[in-house]
Short mmCIF file of all heavy atoms in Angstrom, two decimals:
data_model
loop_
_atom_site.label_atom_id
_atom_site.label_comp_id
_atom_site.label_asym_id
_atom_site.label_seq_id
_atom_site.Cartn_x
_atom_site.Cartn_y
_atom_site.Cartn_z
N SER L 2 0.63 2.18 -0.92
CA SER L 2 1.52 3.36 -0.94
C SER L 2 1.09 4.34 0.16
O SER L 2 -0.08 4.45 0.49
CB SER L 2 1.49 4.03 -2.30
OG SER L 2 0.17 4.36 -2.62
N ILE L 4 0.27 7.86 1.94
CA ILE L 4 -0.43 9.06 1.48
C ILE L 4 -0.04 10.24 2.38
O ILE L 4 -0.06 10.13 3.60
CB ILE L 4 -1.97 8.85 1.56
CG1 ILE L 4 -2.40 7.63 0.75
CG2 ILE L 4 -2.72 10.11 1.12
CD1 ILE L 4 -2.20 7.73 -0.75
N VAL L 7 -0.34 17.49 1.32
CA VAL L 7 0.65 18.51 0.94
C VAL L 7 -0.09 19.72 0.39
O VAL L 7 -0.71 19.65 -0.67
CB VAL L 7 1.63 17.96 -0.13
CG1 VAL L 7 2.69 19.01 -0.46
CG2 VAL L 7 2.29 16.68 0.34
N ASN L 8 -0.05 20.79 1.15
CA ASN L 8 -0.63 22.07 0.70
C ASN L 8 -2.03 21.92 0.10
O ASN L 8 -2.29 22.39 -1.01
CB ASN L 8 0.32 22.75 -0.29
CG ASN L 8 1.63 23.14 0.37
OD1 ASN L 8 1.65 23.48 1.55
ND2 ASN L 8 2.72 23.07 -0.37
N GLU L 16 4.46 10.83 -5.36
CA GLU L 16 4.05 11.95 -6.22
C GLU L 16 4.05 13.28 -5.47
O GLU L 16 3.80 14.33 -6.07
CB GLU L 16 2.64 11.68 -6.76
CG GLU L 16 2.63 10.58 -7.79
CD GLU L 16 1.26 9.94 -7.95
OE1 GLU L 16 0.30 10.41 -7.31
OE2 GLU L 16 1.19 8.95 -8.70
N ILE L 21 11.16 23.99 -4.66
CA ILE L 21 12.55 24.14 -4.18
C ILE L 21 12.75 25.51 -3.54
O ILE L 21 13.77 25.76 -2.91
CB ILE L 21 13.61 23.90 -5.29
CG1 ILE L 21 13.43 24.88 -6.44
CG2 ILE L 21 13.60 22.46 -5.75
CD1 ILE L 21 14.65 24.93 -7.35
N LEU L 59 5.66 32.15 17.90
CA LEU L 59 7.02 32.61 18.25
C LEU L 59 7.86 32.89 17.01
O LEU L 59 8.75 33.74 17.05
CB LEU L 59 7.70 31.58 19.15
CG LEU L 59 7.16 31.54 20.59
CD1 LEU L 59 7.60 30.27 21.31
CD2 LEU L 59 7.61 32.78 21.37
N GLU L 68 -7.84 25.31 13.46
CA GLU L 68 -7.58 24.14 14.31
C GLU L 68 -8.54 22.98 14.01
O GLU L 68 -8.08 21.83 13.87
CB GLU L 68 -7.63 24.54 15.78
CG GLU L 68 -6.95 23.50 16.63
CD GLU L 68 -7.10 23.76 18.10
OE1 GLU L 68 -6.43 24.69 18.59
OE2 GLU L 68 -7.88 23.03 18.75
N VAL L 74 -7.69 16.89 9.16
CA VAL L 74 -6.67 16.40 8.22
C VAL L 74 -5.74 15.39 8.91
O VAL L 74 -5.37 14.36 8.32
CB VAL L 74 -5.87 17.58 7.60
CG1 VAL L 74 -4.78 17.05 6.68
CG2 VAL L 74 -6.78 18.53 6.85
N VAL L 79 -4.05 9.77 9.02
CA VAL L 79 -3.90 8.53 9.80
C VAL L 79 -4.78 7.45 9.18
O VAL L 79 -4.33 6.31 8.95
CB VAL L 79 -4.27 8.78 11.29
CG1 VAL L 79 -4.42 7.46 12.05
CG2 VAL L 79 -3.21 9.66 11.95
N ARG L 83 -3.95 3.88 7.13
CA ARG L 83 -4.33 2.74 7.99
C ARG L 83 -3.36 2.55 9.15
O ARG L 83 -2.91 1.43 9.42
CB ARG L 83 -4.41 1.46 7.16
CG ARG L 83 -5.46 1.59 6.10
CD ARG L 83 -5.79 0.27 5.49
NE ARG L 83 -6.48 0.52 4.24
CZ ARG L 83 -6.29 -0.14 3.12
NH1 ARG L 83 -5.42 -1.13 3.08
NH2 ARG L 83 -6.96 0.16 2.04
N ASP L 86 -1.07 2.02 15.12
CA ASP L 86 -0.04 2.40 16.09
C ASP L 86 1.12 3.02 15.32
O ASP L 86 1.61 2.41 14.37
CB ASP L 86 0.45 1.17 16.87
CG ASP L 86 -0.67 0.55 17.68
OD1 ASP L 86 -1.21 1.24 18.55
OD2 ASP L 86 -1.03 -0.60 17.39
N GLU L 126 9.95 -3.93 23.63
CA GLU L 126 11.21 -4.66 23.83
C GLU L 126 12.32 -3.71 24.28
O GLU L 126 13.11 -4.02 25.17
CB GLU L 126 11.64 -5.35 22.53
CG GLU L 126 10.92 -6.67 22.30
CD GLU L 126 11.04 -7.14 20.86
OE1 GLU L 126 12.01 -6.77 20.17
OE2 GLU L 126 10.13 -7.87 20.43
N ALA L 128 11.93 -0.93 25.87
CA ALA L 128 11.66 -0.51 27.25
C ALA L 128 12.04 -1.61 28.23
O ALA L 128 12.53 -1.33 29.33
CB ALA L 128 10.19 -0.14 27.40
N THR L 136 26.61 11.43 25.93
CA THR L 136 26.39 12.86 26.13
C THR L 136 27.21 13.67 25.13
O THR L 136 28.19 13.17 24.57
CB THR L 136 26.77 13.30 27.56
OG1 THR L 136 28.15 13.01 27.78
CG2 THR L 136 25.92 12.57 28.59
N LEU L 150 12.19 23.47 12.66
CA LEU L 150 12.71 22.47 11.73
C LEU L 150 14.23 22.46 11.66
O LEU L 150 14.81 21.60 11.00
CB LEU L 150 12.16 22.74 10.32
CG LEU L 150 10.67 22.51 10.12
CD1 LEU L 150 10.26 22.96 8.71
CD2 LEU L 150 10.32 21.05 10.32
N VAL L 156 20.42 16.13 14.74
CA VAL L 156 20.78 15.06 13.80
C VAL L 156 22.19 14.55 14.09
O VAL L 156 22.43 13.34 14.19
CB VAL L 156 20.68 15.59 12.34
CG1 VAL L 156 21.35 14.64 11.36
CG2 VAL L 156 19.23 15.84 11.95
N PHE L 172 22.16 16.18 25.85
CA PHE L 172 22.95 17.42 25.75
C PHE L 172 23.31 17.89 27.16
O PHE L 172 22.48 17.83 28.08
CB PHE L 172 22.12 18.51 25.06
CG PHE L 172 21.87 18.28 23.60
CD1 PHE L 172 20.58 18.25 23.09
CD2 PHE L 172 22.94 18.13 22.71
CE1 PHE L 172 20.35 18.05 21.73
CE2 PHE L 172 22.72 17.95 21.35
CZ PHE L 172 21.42 17.91 20.86
N ASN L 175 27.08 24.28 29.38
CA ASN L 175 28.45 24.71 29.77
C ASN L 175 28.73 24.51 31.24
O ASN L 175 29.88 24.34 31.64
CB ASN L 175 28.64 26.20 29.45
CG ASN L 175 28.86 26.39 27.99
OD1 ASN L 175 29.27 25.46 27.29
ND2 ASN L 175 28.55 27.59 27.49
N ALA L 183 18.51 14.50 22.24
CA ALA L 183 18.44 14.98 20.86
C ALA L 183 17.00 15.02 20.38
O ALA L 183 16.62 15.91 19.60
CB ALA L 183 19.28 14.09 19.96
N ILE L 205 14.98 24.03 26.88
CA ILE L 205 14.56 22.70 26.44
C ILE L 205 13.21 22.82 25.74
O ILE L 205 12.50 23.82 25.90
CB ILE L 205 14.43 21.68 27.61
CG1 ILE L 205 13.32 22.10 28.59
CG2 ILE L 205 15.76 21.47 28.31
CD1 ILE L 205 12.84 20.97 29.48
N GLY L 222 2.00 9.05 43.13
CA GLY L 222 2.57 9.54 44.40
C GLY L 222 4.07 9.76 44.35
O GLY L 222 4.74 9.76 45.38
N ALA L 231 22.97 17.88 37.31
CA ALA L 231 24.29 17.79 36.69
C ALA L 231 24.51 16.37 36.17
O ALA L 231 23.92 15.41 36.67
CB ALA L 231 25.37 18.15 37.71
N ALA L 250 7.83 6.71 27.92
CA ALA L 250 8.90 6.78 28.92
C ALA L 250 9.78 5.55 28.73
O ALA L 250 9.29 4.43 28.77
CB ALA L 250 8.32 6.79 30.32
N PRO L 266 16.38 -1.58 33.93
CA PRO L 266 15.26 -0.63 34.03
C PRO L 266 14.72 -0.56 35.45
O PRO L 266 14.56 -1.59 36.10
CB PRO L 266 14.22 -1.20 33.06
CG PRO L 266 15.02 -1.98 32.08
CD PRO L 266 16.16 -2.57 32.87
N THR L 268 12.09 0.61 38.71
CA THR L 268 10.65 0.44 38.96
C THR L 268 9.88 1.74 38.70
O THR L 268 8.74 1.69 38.25
CB THR L 268 10.39 0.00 40.42
OG1 THR L 268 11.12 0.89 41.27
CG2 THR L 268 10.84 -1.43 40.66
N THR L 269 10.49 2.89 38.97
CA THR L 269 9.78 4.15 38.75
C THR L 269 9.53 4.34 37.25
O THR L 269 8.41 4.65 36.83
CB THR L 269 10.59 5.34 39.31
OG1 THR L 269 10.93 5.04 40.66
CG2 THR L 269 9.79 6.63 39.26
N ALA L 270 10.57 4.13 36.46
CA ALA L 270 10.42 4.29 35.01
C ALA L 270 9.38 3.30 34.48
O ALA L 270 8.52 3.67 33.66
CB ALA L 270 11.76 4.06 34.31
N ILE L 280 -3.59 7.87 31.56
CA ILE L 280 -3.75 9.28 31.94
C ILE L 280 -3.68 10.22 30.74
O ILE L 280 -4.34 11.26 30.70
CB ILE L 280 -2.69 9.61 33.03
CG1 ILE L 280 -3.15 8.89 34.31
CG2 ILE L 280 -2.52 11.11 33.24
CD1 ILE L 280 -2.25 8.98 35.47
#
Side-chain angles (χ1 to χ4, degrees):
S2 56
I4 304 294
V7 183
N8 295 327
E16 289 158 4
I21 59 164
L59 287 164
E68 198 186 286
V74 177
V79 168
R83 298 193 197 139
D86 297 299
E126 278 164 26
T136 60
L150 292 174
V156 166
F172 290 124
N175 283 338
I205 64 161
T268 50
T269 308
I280 289 176

